[in-house]
Amino acid sequence: MTTLTDRLRAELDEFRRTGVYKHLNHLDGPQGARAVMEGHGEVVILSSNNYLGLCDVPEVVEAGKAALDRFGAGTGSVRFICGTFTVHRELEAELAALVGTEASLTYVSCWSANEGLAPTLLGEQDAVISDRLNHASIIDEVRLAKAITKCQTAVYEHSDMADLRAKLEQFRGCRHVLVITDGVFSMEGDVARLPDILELARRHGAAVAVDDSHATGFWGWRGRATAHHWGWLGLVYTDTPPLAMAVGGGGGGFTAGSAAVCDYLAQRSRPMLFSNALPPTVAGSAMASVRYLVARPERVARLHENAAWFRGALLEAGFKPLPGETPIIPVILGETARAITMSGMLLDEGVFVTGFGYPVVPQGHARVRCQISAAHTKDDLERALAAFKKVGAKLGVI
Ligand SMILES: Cc1ncc(COP(=O)(O)O)c(C=O)c1O
């Protein structure tokens, strides 16, 4: 009989043979515009959620150290059992103020925040509707909600409002319907059609949850999140719970919404009740990130200038990035192996940009995804562009 380990080894060999095996790259220093990567020296990083470039900002790092000195290294247990730290309460108040909600609740990751949402808020009489290109954590959140609560679920085609309307009609008799969307879609870089989603939801009495991991801190007015971008703040955030990754790019997640939503989640969400809280160091750094961002809106402006420059330069060089206006700039290549090859060749040229293939993106839509940061200098971006042109020409992409 084949053992489990034998089967896994055989599958791993197959991943290697077909060129889809992912090699982990090791950094030997902080995330920044450039970083030192084992075996490659200094590389330009075009593959990080460090959009605002706050990971290595001295104030942010120092705040983490100060929290470590004051609160220690660990949290001890979950918050309701062993007590919670004042730094969490303070951070949650500042995050709510940042995104303009009554309250917020932090989790050790945005994955946990997502998993804690629909399965906690919904029941058997309810339904959840999710965009086809939502992040994997939302896909699993919906699966979990269905398994745990027996609620109904549906997926609407990406940003297709006619399909969303049809799904809302389908669930007309339900007690609650929750529509979940990414604010900025992580693999495409496009922005959710929030005004249309909110209008449809309002007409059908549905609630909307937005995962703003790729928007909080840099999208909308002074980077407050997608709801600000669309000028719909009150409606989105009043009785619906948008989510976001810590703006420092340093980890952690939170749910923000009405005080009732956050209080209910604190009472009942399983990742809150059965998993340790955000480590105090991360909470301290996250709070410093929020303060840094609020005090320096020019960081957001710089990020958008950098993204517009790089997108324009790629187009001029003959690449066809997916259209958009966010700092996520995907160049579609087709097969997974091609994306991984291009990523490897770019790394040989000193540019770190990850190739994504199936199952992260649909079959045939593999890509290298560039993520631009406010920390990039013109020199960083020019170096990255030169590498793209060289490798793109070699591979026949341009
Ligand atoms: C849109 C989105 N939601 C959730 C997550 C999960 O976040 P975390 O790494 O905090 O679990 C990610 C991760 O990159 C993401 O891109």
Side-chain angles (χ1 to χ4, degrees):
M1 195 183 81
T2 314
T3 66
L4 176 63
T5 306
D6 288 344
R7 199 207 89 217
L8 299 182
R9 281 202 190 109
E11 285 195 24
L12 287 166
D13 286 345
E14 183 64 9
F15 294 167
R16 286 189 195 94
R17 199 188 60 73
T18 53
V20 300
Y21 185 88
K22 293 179 198 56
H23 294 273
L24 299 182
N25 291 302
H26 293 93
L27 302 183
D28 199 15
Q31 278 285 357
R34 298 183 184 213
V36 177
M37 184 178 282
E38 206 173 75
H40 295 277
E42 190 187 68
V43 296
V44 176
I45 303 274
L46 237 61
S47 196
S48 156
N49 297 338
N50 187 23
Y51 297 110
L52 289 162
L54 300 182
C55 286
D56 60 348
V57 160
E59 289 93 319
V60 174
V61 176
E62 285 308 318
K65 288 183 190 164
L68 180 67
D69 287 341
R70 182 166 166 202
F71 299 105
T75 53
S77 178
V78 300
R79 290 169 75 174
F80 90 96
I81 295 177
C82 70
T84 188
F85 290 105
T86 49
V87 67
H88 292 117
R89 187 179 54 204
E90 236 179 295
L91 173 62
E92 284 164 354
E94 297 217 11
L95 287 170
L98 178 77
V99 297
T101 55
E102 260 182 357
S104 85
L105 188 69
T106 56
Y107 289 87
V108 78
S109 70
C110 190
W111 190 288
S112 294
N114 280 345
E115 269 198 3
L117 189 73
T120 309
L121 300 186
L122 302 182
E124 202 171 352
Q125 314 94 303
D126 303 327
V128 55
I129 311 177
S130 172
D131 186 290
R132 182 169 297 288
L133 294 191
N134 275 343
H135 187 257
S137 55
I138 300 176
I139 295 173
D140 282 15
E141 169 190 2
V142 171
R143 290 175 179 157
L144 199 60
K146 184 176 184 163
I148 291 178
T149 72
K150 312 268 184 296
C151 69
Q152 298 187 67
T153 63
V155 171
Y156 64 99
E157 295 307 323
H158 178 50
S159 283
D160 181 336
M161 293 301 108
D163 197 23
L164 173 58
R165 185 184 302 114
K167 303 292 186 309
L168 283 162
E169 289 293 332
Q170 182 187 331
F171 294 137
R172 242 186 205 290
C174 289
R175 180 183 63 173
H176 303 306
V177 178
L178 181 64
V179 179
I180 310 187
T181 181
D182 275 2
V184 169
F185 288 86
S186 57
M187 285 296 145
E188 314 295 303
D190 59 333
V191 184
R193 294 175 58 180
L194 267 188
D196 298 330
I197 294 172
L198 289 163
E199 180 54 24
L200 279 173
R202 191 187 58 76
R203 274 197 253 141
H204 291 82
V208 179
V210 183
D211 178 339
D212 253 343
S213 294
H214 296 273
T216 303
F218 67 86
W219 197 254
W221 180 77
R222 288 189 165 191
R224 298 304 207 263
T226 43
H228 286 270
H229 176 65
W230 295 116
W232 275 91
L233 184 69
L235 188 51
V236 177
Y237 286 75
T238 302
D239 61 20
T240 60
L243 310 171
M245 193 178 284
V247 290
F254 67 95
T255 301
S258 66
V261 162
C262 293
D263 196 14
Y264 193 88
L265 290 171
Q267 302 302 313
R268 289 291 166 86
S269 101
R270 292 170 71 81
M272 177 73 190
L273 296 182
F274 299 105
S275 180
N276 282 265
L278 205 57
T281 44
V282 179
S285 287
M287 197 150 61
S289 301
V290 173
R291 290 176 183 166
Y292 191 93
L293 162 73
V294 169
R296 292 175 187 76
E298 65 275 11
R299 277 246 156 185
V300 178
R302 174 74 187 277
L303 171 61
H304 291 302
E305 276 163 31
N306 279 353
W309 186 88
F310 195 70
R311 184 182 287 280
L314 280 181
L315 281 165
E316 210 171 291
F319 289 96
K320 293 185 184 60
L322 287 182
E325 42 181 338
T326 70
I328 299 173
I329 309 176
V331 177
I332 305 296
L333 296 163
E335 292 315 309
T336 302
R338 193 164 153 83
I340 290 182
T341 301
M342 181 158 179
S343 163
M345 289 169 74
L346 285 165
L347 192 53
D348 291 340
E349 296 297 324
V351 178
F352 181 38
V353 51
T354 303
F356 290 96
Y358 182 79
V360 180
V361 295
Q363 288 279 22
H365 293 261
R367 63 199 64 188
V368 289
R369 179 188 62 168
C370 307
Q371 290 172 289
I372 305 302
S373 170
H376 286 130
T377 61
K378 193 75 186 300
D379 187 46
D380 297 325
L381 295 178
E382 277 172 354
R383 180 169 162 192
L385 182 67
F388 260 83
K389 282 183 179 167
K390 187 168 169 188
V391 171
K394 268 192 199 160
L395 288 176
V397 178
I398 53 171

Coordinates of all heavy atoms in Angstrom, one line a residue, residues 10 18 46 48 64 71 95 109 128 150 190 211 213 215 221 225 232 262 308 312 315 329 331-332 353 374:
A10 N 5.6 11.8 -4.3 CA 5.4 11.6 -5.8 C 4.7 12.9 -6.4 O 5.1 13.3 -7.4 CB 4.5 10.4 -6.0
T18 N 6.8 19.5 -13.7 CA 5.9 20.3 -14.5 C 6.2 21.8 -14.3 O 5.6 22.7 -14.9 CB 4.4 20.0 -14.3 OG1 4.2 20.1 -12.9 CG2 4.0 18.7 -14.7
L46 N 9.5 43.7 -5.8 CA 8.3 44.2 -6.5 C 7.2 43.1 -6.2 O 6.3 42.8 -7.0 CB 8.5 44.1 -8.0 CG 8.3 45.4 -8.8 CD1 9.2 46.5 -8.3 CD2 8.6 45.2 -10.2
S48 N 5.5 42.5 -2.7 CA 5.2 42.6 -1.3 C 4.0 43.5 -1.0 O 3.8 44.5 -1.8 CB 6.5 43.2 -0.6 OG 6.2 43.8 0.6
G64 N 7.4 48.7 18.0 CA 7.3 47.2 18.2 C 8.2 46.8 19.4 O 7.8 46.1 20.3
F71 N 5.1 44.9 27.2 CA 4.1 43.8 27.4 C 4.6 42.4 27.3 O 3.9 41.4 27.5 CB 3.0 44.0 26.3 CG 2.2 45.3 26.4 CD1 2.5 46.3 25.5 CD2 1.3 45.5 27.3 CE1 1.8 47.5 25.5 CE2 0.6 46.7 27.4 CZ 0.9 47.7 26.5
L95 N -7.8 52.1 14.8 CA -8.2 51.5 13.5 C -9.6 51.9 13.1 O -9.9 52.2 11.9 CB -8.0 49.9 13.5 CG -6.6 49.4 13.5 CD1 -6.6 47.9 13.8 CD2 -5.9 49.7 12.2
S109 N -4.5 37.4 12.2 CA -4.3 37.6 10.8 C -5.6 37.9 10.1 O -6.6 37.7 10.7 CB -3.8 36.2 10.1 OG -4.8 35.3 10.2
V128 N -25.0 33.8 1.9 CA -23.8 34.6 1.7 C -23.5 34.5 0.2 O -23.5 33.4 -0.4 CB -22.6 34.2 2.6 CG1 -22.3 32.8 2.5 CG2 -21.4 35.1 2.3
K150 N -25.0 25.9 7.9 CA -26.0 25.4 6.9 C -26.6 26.5 6.2 O -27.7 26.4 5.6 CB -27.1 24.5 7.5 CG -26.5 23.4 8.5 CD -26.3 22.1 7.7 CE -25.9 21.0 8.6 NZ -24.6 21.1 9.3
D190 N -7.8 45.3 -9.7 CA -9.0 46.2 -10.0 C -9.8 46.5 -8.7 O -9.6 45.8 -7.7 CB -9.9 45.6 -11.1 CG -10.4 44.2 -10.7 OD1 -9.8 43.5 -9.9 OD2 -11.5 43.9 -11.2
D211 N -13.3 43.2 2.1 CA -11.9 42.9 2.5 C -11.0 43.9 1.9 O -10.7 43.8 0.7 CB -11.6 41.4 2.1 CG -10.1 41.1 2.5 OD1 -9.3 42.0 2.7 OD2 -9.8 39.9 2.6
S213 N -7.8 44.5 2.5 CA -6.4 44.3 2.7 C -5.5 45.0 1.7 O -4.4 45.4 2.1 CB -6.1 42.8 2.5 OG -6.8 42.0 3.5
A215 N -6.2 47.8 0.2 CA -6.6 49.2 0.0 C -6.4 50.0 1.3 O -6.0 51.2 1.2 CB -8.1 49.2 -0.3
W221 N -9.6 58.6 0.1 CA -9.1 59.9 0.7 C -8.1 59.6 1.8 O -8.4 58.9 2.7 CB -10.3 60.7 1.3 CG -9.9 62.0 1.9 CD1 -9.7 63.1 1.2 CD2 -9.8 62.3 3.3 NE1 -9.3 64.1 2.1 CE2 -9.4 63.6 3.3 CE3 -10.0 61.5 4.4 CZ2 -9.2 64.2 4.6 CZ3 -9.7 62.1 5.6 CH2 -9.3 63.5 5.7
A225 N -9.4 53.8 2.7 CA -10.0 52.5 2.2 C -11.0 52.7 1.1 O -11.3 53.9 0.8 CB -10.6 51.7 3.3
W232 N -18.8 56.6 0.0 CA -20.0 55.9 0.5 C -19.8 55.4 2.0 O -20.4 54.5 2.4 CB -20.2 54.6 -0.3 CG -21.0 54.7 -1.5 CD1 -20.5 55.0 -2.7 CD2 -22.4 54.7 -1.6 NE1 -21.5 55.1 -3.6 CE2 -22.7 54.9 -3.0 CE3 -23.5 54.5 -0.8 CZ2 -24.0 54.9 -3.5 CZ3 -24.8 54.5 -1.3 CH2 -25.0 54.7 -2.6
C262 N -18.8 44.2 16.2 CA -17.6 43.9 16.8 C -17.8 43.2 18.2 O -17.0 42.2 18.5 CB -16.7 45.1 16.9 SG -16.2 45.7 15.3
A308 N 1.7 54.8 -11.1 CA 1.4 55.3 -12.5 C 2.6 55.3 -13.4 O 2.5 55.0 -14.5 CB 0.8 56.7 -12.3
G312 N 2.9 53.0 -16.8 CA 3.1 53.6 -18.0 C 4.3 53.1 -18.7 O 4.3 52.9 -19.9
L315 N 3.8 49.7 -20.3 CA 3.0 49.8 -21.5 C 3.9 50.3 -22.6 O 3.8 49.7 -23.7 CB 1.8 50.8 -21.3 CG 0.6 50.2 -20.5 CD1 -0.3 51.3 -20.0 CD2 -0.2 49.2 -21.4
I329 N 0.0 45.5 -10.3 CA 0.1 45.6 -11.8 C 0.5 44.2 -12.3 O 1.6 43.8 -12.4 CB 1.2 46.6 -12.2 CG1 0.9 48.0 -11.5 CG2 1.1 46.8 -13.8 CD1 1.9 49.0 -11.8
V331 N 1.0 41.2 -15.1 CA 1.3 41.0 -16.5 C 1.0 39.5 -16.7 O 1.6 38.6 -16.2 CB 2.8 41.2 -16.8 CG1 3.1 40.9 -18.2 CG2 3.2 42.7 -16.5
I332 N -0.1 39.3 -17.6 CA -0.6 37.9 -17.8 C 0.3 37.2 -18.8 O 0.7 37.8 -19.8 CB -2.0 38.0 -18.3 CG1 -2.9 38.8 -17.4 CG2 -2.6 36.6 -18.5 CD1 -3.1 38.2 -16.0
V353 N 10.0 39.4 -8.3 CA 8.5 39.5 -8.5 C 8.0 38.1 -8.8 O 8.5 37.4 -9.6 CB 8.3 40.5 -9.7 CG1 9.1 40.2 -10.9 CG2 6.8 40.6 -10.1
A374 N 5.6 52.8 -2.0 CA 6.0 54.3 -1.8 C 7.4 54.3 -1.5 O 8.1 55.4 -1.7 CB 5.2 54.9 -0.7

